[in-house]
């Protein structure tokens, strides 16, 4: 069953498949077909990618569920769901993206380790819940704090989830205390997704949402929060999700030489065409998504139909009837931007997309330059090779 829905062949969710991962004994990882991503600005739950490291936990008795907060603080507490719901509720629209998105393209350069994601290991949702900065005030940590009175500098999230990488222990990750206590960072303890109670596949009853950061830090099925002096020492912080240069391989890797990856670089992908596609000559709609980490907006998306020799700027948008402005007050700073352009497609075209964020960061041209042994952060130009129907017909004669 799992092989049927491997990301390289999995094409779309259906309502019947949403809970399928709950019945699997191994991690279930799946992405929708890329065309589903540009059908709406807010990704429906049924089309939101799934990334798991172990069997899906099941919290049966919500009345007994609680989250503990402990560590380098003067006050240790247990919070029930009722306690969390009593705090001010915020809705934050944010894109979550797996660090391995577009890994399949990187693996074509040289073999990498990891789930073979295409371009759809991300989704944009409206998350509802309590701000972590409000929660931490309950244990005496003031907003915009960088260190607690006892020396705590990081906030560790521990999951109910158990995984083999932690030798059967819980999945865990951390973020700096300064980020956790900043209300403008919009870090949430989320219990809603797109206006509904968050479902089991996406972290019921409570998950962390850390906007602008790789998805690995948005811990699902939250069990406890620890205030610690150093960053989390768990597997996924210390021996995974780090960016190494192309010269490093599994024989010479030294994990301690690199920091855990946090913000995601600027990224884009074309979703209306396959990587190798057949279309008629003439005009065609080119559409997709662009997103950057750290709350940076998308300043520009450029499209080329001749492999990058000449470029046309695409139209960018988020919400209907609201003009998108990078870093604009009405724009969702943590969310992706959709783009589109209708262009004349020449015979045997190579269509390319690249994005520029509000800090003038631009995607690298070649995947070879950013290859790394874990296949993360493939933000290279997205290339589509076109075979026109007239050319295909002649080749068959």
């Amino acid at each position: 069953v799992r092989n049927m829905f491997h990301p390289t062949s999995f094409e779309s969710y259906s309502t019947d498949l949403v809970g399928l991962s709950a019945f699997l004994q191994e991690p279930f990882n799946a992405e929708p077909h890329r065309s589903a991503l540009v059908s709406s600005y807010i990704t429906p739950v049924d089309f939101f990618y799934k990334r798991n490291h172990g069997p899906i936990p099941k919290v049966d008795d919500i009345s007994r569920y609680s989250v503990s907060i402990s560590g380098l603080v003067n006050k240790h507490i247990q919070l029930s769901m009722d306690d969390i719901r009593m705090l001010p509720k915020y809705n934050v629209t944010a894109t979550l993206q797996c660090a391995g998105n577009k890994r399949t393209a990187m693996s074509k350069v040289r073999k990498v380790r990891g789930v073979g994601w295409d371009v759809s290991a991300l989704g944009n949702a409206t998350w509802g819940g309590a701000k972590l900065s409000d929660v931490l005030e309950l244990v005496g940590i003031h907003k915009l704090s960088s260190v607690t009175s006892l020396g705590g500098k990081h906030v560790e999230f521990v999951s109910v989830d158990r995984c083999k990488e932690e030798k059967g222990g819980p999945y865990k990750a951390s973020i700096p205390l300064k980020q956790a206590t900043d209300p403008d960072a919009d870090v949430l303890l989320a219990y809603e997704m797109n206006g509904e109670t968050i479902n089991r596949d996406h972290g019921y009853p409570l998950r962390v949402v850390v906007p602008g950061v790789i998805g690995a830090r948005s811990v699902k099925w939250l069990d406890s929060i620890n205030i610690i002096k150093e960053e989390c020492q768990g597997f996924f912080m210390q021996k995974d999700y780090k960016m190494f240069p192309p010269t490093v391989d599994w024989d010479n890797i030294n994990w301690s030489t690199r920091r855990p990856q946090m913000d995601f670089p600027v990224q884009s992908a074309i979703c209306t065409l396959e990587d190798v596609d057949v279309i008629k000559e003439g005009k065609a709609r080119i559409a997709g998504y662009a997103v950057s980490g750290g709350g940076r907006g998308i300043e520009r998306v450029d499209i080329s139909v001749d492999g990058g020799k000449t470029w046309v700027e695409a139209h960018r948008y988020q919400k209907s009837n609201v003009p998108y402005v990078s870093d604009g007050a009405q724009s969702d700073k943590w969310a992706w931007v959709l783009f589109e352009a209708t262009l004349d497609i020449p015979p045997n075209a190579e269509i390319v997309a690249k994005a520029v964020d509000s800090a003038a960061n631009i995607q690298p041209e070649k995947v070879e330059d950013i290859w790394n042994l874990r296949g993360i952060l493939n933000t290279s130009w997205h290339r589509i090779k076109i075979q026109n129907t007239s050319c295909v017909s002649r080749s068959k004669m």
Side-chain angles (χ1 to χ4, degrees), residues 36-164:
L37 293 182
V38 289
S39 62
S40 63
Y41 172 58
I42 300 297
T43 307
V45 175
D46 288 3
F47 289 92
F48 206 95
Y49 83 104
K50 297 181 185 181
R51 177 66 174 115
N52 301 297
H53 293 279
I56 305 298
K58 187 175 182 181
V59 178
D60 287 320
D61 190 351
I62 195 66
S63 66
R64 299 180 62 185
Y65 173 81
S66 65
V67 174
S68 64
I69 304 179
S70 60
L72 298 175
V73 288
N74 293 315
K75 180 182 180 182
H76 295 186
I77 62 173
Q78 293 276 145
L79 294 176
S80 68
M81 280 303 301
D82 287 340
D83 294 329
I84 293 168
R85 287 179 178 276
M86 287 179 64
L87 293 169
K89 179 188 173 185
Y90 293 87
N91 289 312
V92 176
T93 299
T95 299
L96 293 187
Q97 179 174 200
C98 180
N101 193 28
K102 295 171 65 176
R103 181 180 281 129
T104 297
M106 188 173 279
S107 68
K108 293 177 181 178
V109 174
R110 240 194 303 164
K111 186 178 180 180
V112 298
R113 290 185 186 177
V115 176
W117 298 113
D118 188 42
V119 303
S120 303
L122 80 170
N124 189 52
T126 298
W127 310 92
K131 283 195 178 183
L132 181 59
S133 57
D134 289 342
V135 173
L136 293 178
E137 282 195 317
L138 299 177
V139 293
I141 303 177
H142 299 300
K143 289 182 171 62
L144 302 178
S145 296
S146 299
V147 59
T148 69
S149 60
L150 298 178
K153 295 182 180 180
H154 296 264
V155 179
E156 179 183 64
F157 310 112
V158 182
S159 176
V160 176
D161 184 19
R162 304 281 167 163
C163 49
K164 63 180 181 180

